[in-house]
Amino acid sequence: MSASGGTRAIVAALAANLAIAVSKFVAFAFSGSSSMLAEGVHSLADSGNQALLLVGGKKAQREATPQHPFGYGRERYIYAFLVSIVLFSVGGMFAIYEGYEKIKHPHEIEHWYWPVGVLVFAIIAESFSFRTAIKESNPLRGTLSWTEFVRRAKAPELPVVLLEDLGALVGLILALGGVGLALLTGDGVWDGIGTVCIGVLLVLIALVLAAETKSLLLGEAAGTDDVQKIEAALVDGDTVPRIIHMRTLHLGPEELLVAAKIAVRHDDSATDVATAINAAEARIRQAVPIARVIYLEPDIYSETEAAKGADPDATPGGPAQPPADH
């Protein structure tokens, strides 16, 4: 669901941004507004970003190879991180530079109706794109706030499109304000100030995207709900009486690795243990379908050994920790 929803949102944003970019560059050519130039570059950068997300989604579908045995699911995270770099450099820093130059060398905006008309058109088009992103995100967001959704989402496409569209709408309002004040006062400095504000906004959004995608690239655990489902599926009270410790890791947005040491009864035969592990794996996959790579290690749980650990919750039942040097 997240992949198809993300693709629809990306395509909608790409179509809107290409049309908006052309209109902004035309408005800049007729009016000389730096806000229009910055916004045109912003829309062009956004179009490139959406193309990157589509490429990342396509590359992530490749089959696993001996060199990459866990597949290519993280390609989506890599391309999302590239989006933040493009947004920071091409979008944000260019706008700040262009705004600075306009403040130093202001000039009157010509043919005011071009930038104003394009900005109104762009706001309408971006609103439709933003609406699509919100509509596709809502089923996945559930009861989470928008901030929590952006921070916790494992699929990067929808948060990226949401933040880009939000930034675009706010940037358009800033551009409209800068152009409007420049027209009212006859001072082109206001156009430059609006451009600088757009650049700062894009840099901030790029930094948020970079921080979130960096976390995904480093490797995030499953969400709380999925962890609870996995734990409930693992322990059946009979063949698997308890979990000694467990780790989860997202190999991609829709692929989860589960590694756990599970307790078995001391008098179980090898056949009993193998049967218990196979049944536990089946229960996990039924409870959490994205848990595609599962490694279960049987062990005999020992309260005594667990108590010796410096951090019993981290690896209970594991070997005793060596004494600290004095």
Side-chain angles (χ1 to χ4, degrees), residues 7 11 14 38 49 75 119 123 137 142 217 222 228 232 254 263 298 301 315:
T7 300
V11 171
L14 178 59
N49 288 340
E75 289 266 18
L119 286 172
I123 289 173
S137 299
L217 276 171
Q228 291 175 348
E254 281 92 32
Y301 182 77
T315 315

Side-chain angles (χ1 to χ4, degrees), residues 10-264:
I10 293 170
V11 171
L14 178 59
N17 279 315
L18 286 174
I20 292 170
V22 172
S23 65
K24 287 175 180 175
F25 283 124
V26 171
F28 164 70
F30 280 95
S31 68
S33 167
S34 66
S35 290
M36 282 292 91
L37 177 59
E39 275 295 311
V41 173
H42 173 198
S43 294
L44 196 62
D46 279 355
S47 300
N49 288 340
Q50 279 120 33
L52 284 173
L53 292 176
L54 290 173
V55 171
K58 185 68 175 177
K59 285 183 172 290
Q61 297 174 4
R62 288 180 293 172
E63 295 293 331
T65 65
Q67 188 176 6
H68 297 92
F70 293 114
Y72 293 86
R74 289 195 181 184
E75 289 266 18
R76 290 166 68 180
Y77 300 151
I78 294 171
Y79 279 83
F81 189 76
L82 289 176
V83 165
S84 68
I85 296 174
V86 172
L87 193 62
F88 179 88
S89 56
V90 179
M93 298 308 295
F94 175 83
I96 291 174
Y97 170 77
E98 183 64 24
Y100 172 74
E101 287 295 316
K102 185 61 180 286
I103 291 172
K104 283 183 63 178
H105 309 289
H107 61 81
E108 187 176 351
I109 295 176
E110 303 173 355
H111 306 294
W112 63 269
Y113 43 84
W114 275 102
V116 171
V118 166
L119 286 172
V120 172
F121 162 73
I123 289 173
I124 294 172
E126 285 289 359
S127 297
F128 278 107
S129 175
F130 193 36
R131 178 178 175 273
T132 301
I134 291 173
K135 182 179 178 181
E136 299 297 337
S137 299
N138 275 329
L140 301 174
R141 183 171 68 93
T143 59
L144 296 176
S145 67
W146 286 109
T147 301
E148 290 174 330
F149 173 69
V150 170
R151 291 185 60 85
R152 296 185 188 181
K154 305 303 181 185
E157 291 84 1
L158 284 172
V160 168
V161 174
L162 280 168
L163 287 175
E164 278 190 346
D165 284 352
L166 177 62
L169 280 172
V170 176
L172 288 167
I173 293 170
L174 291 172
L176 190 59
V179 170
L181 287 171
L183 292 172
L184 288 173
T185 62
D187 189 352
V189 169
W190 287 107
D191 187 29
I193 292 173
T195 306
V196 171
C197 290
I198 293 168
V200 172
L201 172 69
L202 295 180
V203 167
L204 292 175
I205 290 176
L207 292 175
V208 172
L209 286 177
E212 294 304 317
T213 51
K214 173 193 169 187
S215 178
L216 292 168
L217 276 171
L218 288 174
E220 288 190 357
T224 304
D225 290 344
D226 283 342
V227 169
Q228 291 175 348
K229 290 178 183 177
I230 293 169
E231 290 175 342
L234 257 178
V235 179
D236 64 356
D238 182 21
T239 59
V240 182
R242 70 180 300 158
I243 299 170
I244 298 176
H245 63 82
M246 184 178 75
R247 299 289 184 271
T248 61
L249 178 69
H250 268 275
L251 301 174
E254 281 92 32
E255 189 168 16
L256 188 65
L257 180 148
V258 179
K261 180 177 283 191
I262 57 175
V264 296

Side-chain angles (χ1 to χ4, degrees), residues 244 262-267 298-302 317:
I244 298 176
I262 57 175
V264 296
R265 295 173 299 191
H266 70 279
D267 56 348
D299 202 352
I300 306 299
Y301 182 77
S302 168

